[in-house]
Amino acid sequence: GAVGNALSRQVVDHYENPRNVGSLDRNAKNVGTGLVGAPACGDVMKLQVEVDENGKIVDARFKTFGCGSAIASSSLATEWVKGKTVDEALQIKNTDIAKELCLPPVKLHCSMLAEDAIKAALADYKLKQDPNKKEAEKKA
Amino acid sequence: SGRSADGTGAPRPLYMDVQATTPLDPRVLDSMLPYLTACYGNPHSRTHAYGWESEAAMEKARRQVADLIGADSREIIFTSGATESNNMAIKGVARFYKSRKKHIITTQTEHKCVLDSCRSLETEGFRVTYLPVKKNGLVDLKELEAAFQPDTSLVSVMTVNNEIGVKQPIHDIGEICRARKVFFHTDAAQAIGKIPMDVNDMKIDLMSISGHKIYGPKGVGAIYVRRRPRVRLEPLQSGGGQERGLRSGTVPTPLAVGLGAACEVAQQEMEYDHKRISQLAERLVTKIMSEVPDVVMNGDREHRYPGCINLSFAYVEGESLLMALKDVALSSGSACTSASLEPSYVLRAIGTDEDLAHSSIRFGIGRFTTEEEVDYTVQKCIQHVKRLREMSPLWEMVQDGIDLKSIKWTQH
């Protein structure tokens, strides 16, 4: 457990034993890319998903500029989306991420950004599947 | 050496955070022990040997502090630390002269206790000018001169900054203040015992001193209050009139003895320490910068105390680097500001871009820092900066030739 400001073992583990760090081909039609946060805030997450023809997420990658909790939150997000359908992945809540990583109150915004990153990646994927919808939205 | 007492049993990290606090010099501990054991008298007890011996030790300590800064014993008042000394200097002087003087000048990069004391005075009706600093962290003397008003009672500028290590032009500031007959206070917590300080040479009227920044005990400090010309101040703490009525309360003899011993040891070691620390600092900075691109040193390269090095590693966030360097004790910005989510106000004052402010680490090199410790820290730092850049979307974008300033970032 976390004592005061000490990082939880889970958070440190995501940095020391990284999984899913990297990039997918953002130009591929079945890859969705989400980029959330801002350098001025000290938190930027890029999360990518690769979705198969059945709507299932088969691969995910992340890169994060942020504290240990931010890195762990986005890393965990990529672990959790794998194997889920797009709609299932949209159900992932920041509170679950925070609980899994034992994030203290001051770090809850990291888990919120990770949830935003998942949603942004999936929104990008959906937009790429339905460019007509994009056109319709533009006209609206 | 040894295991951490935090319940994990992990080996103790290397200590590279001397601006936060320093270990007791063994010579200081030796000097304190008798007063923590058999010689436990109250130094203000006038009627027996316990008191007399305690008083003698306290007065010896007072002389040791005075000698380090070229002052007279009678000008040294013991306090609980530099925070209290800063409060006394600023609030004490302002309030004493308030019938005729209502204006104070300070800088935007002072320690929180100075800034907060000034804010507190503003609620009492005083006016405060918070001078900006140049990009190198130094005060602009022309701006200082322009800031004086007919009713300025005090100028407060710290000697060495605790976050970025820059050294203000104290001689020049002293001259400027003396010429205008305005009292000059300096928070010298990070400076005394490390660089030569002389209250007469530098025309200093008040000075704050901290025990635990100079290998002395925590919980004690001192304030220097000039006698000629006389500086008056309204005491913060009322009571039995100890310390010339300026700071009532029993002087904690073991702590005062420790502070005195720390000052004497520092005076002896100053030249040797400064030379050794400069070499180690040069080693650290040169090695890191030759191996890692896009590293910025915060604060002037020349006018600084070498043992405090603040570096920004672009595209890598500071806390993540601290986590990665888990076996080295470091800090990202000042400990006082770490509780908030805002980046350092000192870095903001020197014009550091916000993303670089989030990417800063402070390295502290001290009397007991070894070359091996510096080399290990450098090696780990280089290794983990490279690793964190591989994990950084910002680094990736820059490698792809994208101008980060052109991106519309999301807000949350």
Side-chain angles (χ1 to χ4, degrees), chain B residues 22-39 64 211-212 214-218 220 253-266 367-368:
Chain B
T22 53
L24 272 186
D25 188 296
R27 294 163 282 192
V28 170
L29 179 59
D30 281 351
S31 74
M32 291 170 69
L33 274 171
Y35 303 97
L36 290 165
T37 50
C39 307
Q64 288 167 322
H212 74 109
I214 57 169
Y215 311 93
K218 292 170 184 55
V220 68
T253 300
L255 296 180
V257 163
L259 175 61
C263 288
E264 186 171 284
V265 169
R367 179 179 296 159
F368 303 110

Side-chain angles (χ1 to χ4, degrees), chain B residues 35-140:
Chain B
Y35 303 97
L36 290 165
T37 50
C39 307
Y40 53 82
N42 181 320
H44 316 293
S45 295
R46 297 198 158 288
T47 59
H48 49 71
Y50 290 88
W52 304 330
E53 110 196 306
S54 189
E55 189 193 22
M58 174 181 73
E59 290 308 322
K60 177 181 172 186
R62 202 186 297 280
R63 268 194 308 281
Q64 288 167 322
V65 176
D67 283 350
L68 182 59
I69 60 172
D72 183 288
S73 263
R74 292 167 293 178
E75 296 173 308
I76 302 297
I77 306 293
F78 290 109
T79 65
S80 61
T83 294
E84 184 186 345
S85 304
N86 283 332
N87 269 262
M88 275 175 75
I90 292 162
K91 292 173 178 168
V93 168
R95 287 169 183 163
F96 189 91
Y97 294 96
K98 72 175 180 239
S99 57
R100 288 179 300 113
K101 309 244 171 149
K102 291 288 236 183
H103 178 242
I104 293 159
I105 300 170
T106 188
T107 77
Q108 291 177 8
T109 52
E110 296 301 305
H111 194 275
K112 276 272 160 129
C113 57
V114 168
L115 295 176
D116 215 56
S117 295
C118 289
R119 286 222 192 293
S120 167
L121 285 176
E122 285 184 288
T123 69
E124 290 175 29
F126 292 88
R127 296 180 329 273
V128 182
T129 299
Y130 300 91
L131 290 174
V133 294
K134 298 181 281 192
K135 280 208 170 340
N136 61 0
L138 300 179
V139 162
D140 183 326

Side-chain angles (χ1 to χ4, degrees), chain B residues 15 17-23 190 212-216 218 362:
Chain B
Y15 192 75
D17 200 19
V18 286
Q19 281 73 36
T21 194
T22 53
Q190 296 286 349
H212 74 109
K213 305 292 163 52
I214 57 169
Y215 311 93
K218 292 170 184 55
R362 178 183 68 189

Side-chain angles (χ1 to χ4, degrees), chain A residues 18-91:
Chain A
R19 38 220 117 154
N20 306 326
V21 172
S23 301
L24 300 169
D25 178 8
R26 68 186 302 130
N27 297 315
K29 192 181 174 191
N30 64 338
V31 168
T33 300
L35 183 68
V36 295
C41 298
D43 270 310
V44 177
M45 293 179 187
K46 185 190 78 163
L47 194 146
Q48 293 179 301
V49 291
E50 183 183 315
V51 186
D52 71 10
E53 57 280 355
N54 300 316
K56 196 160 120 180
I57 299 168
V58 292
D59 206 0
R61 294 276 185 273
F62 82 98
K63 284 204 176 188
T64 292
F65 164 84
C67 66
S69 301
I71 291 171
S73 297
S74 44
S75 172
L76 188 65
T78 58
E79 283 190 289
W80 278 1
V81 298
K82 277 190 190 175
K84 289 191 162 64
T85 65
V86 168
D87 287 332
E88 284 168 351
L90 284 170
Q91 301 307 309

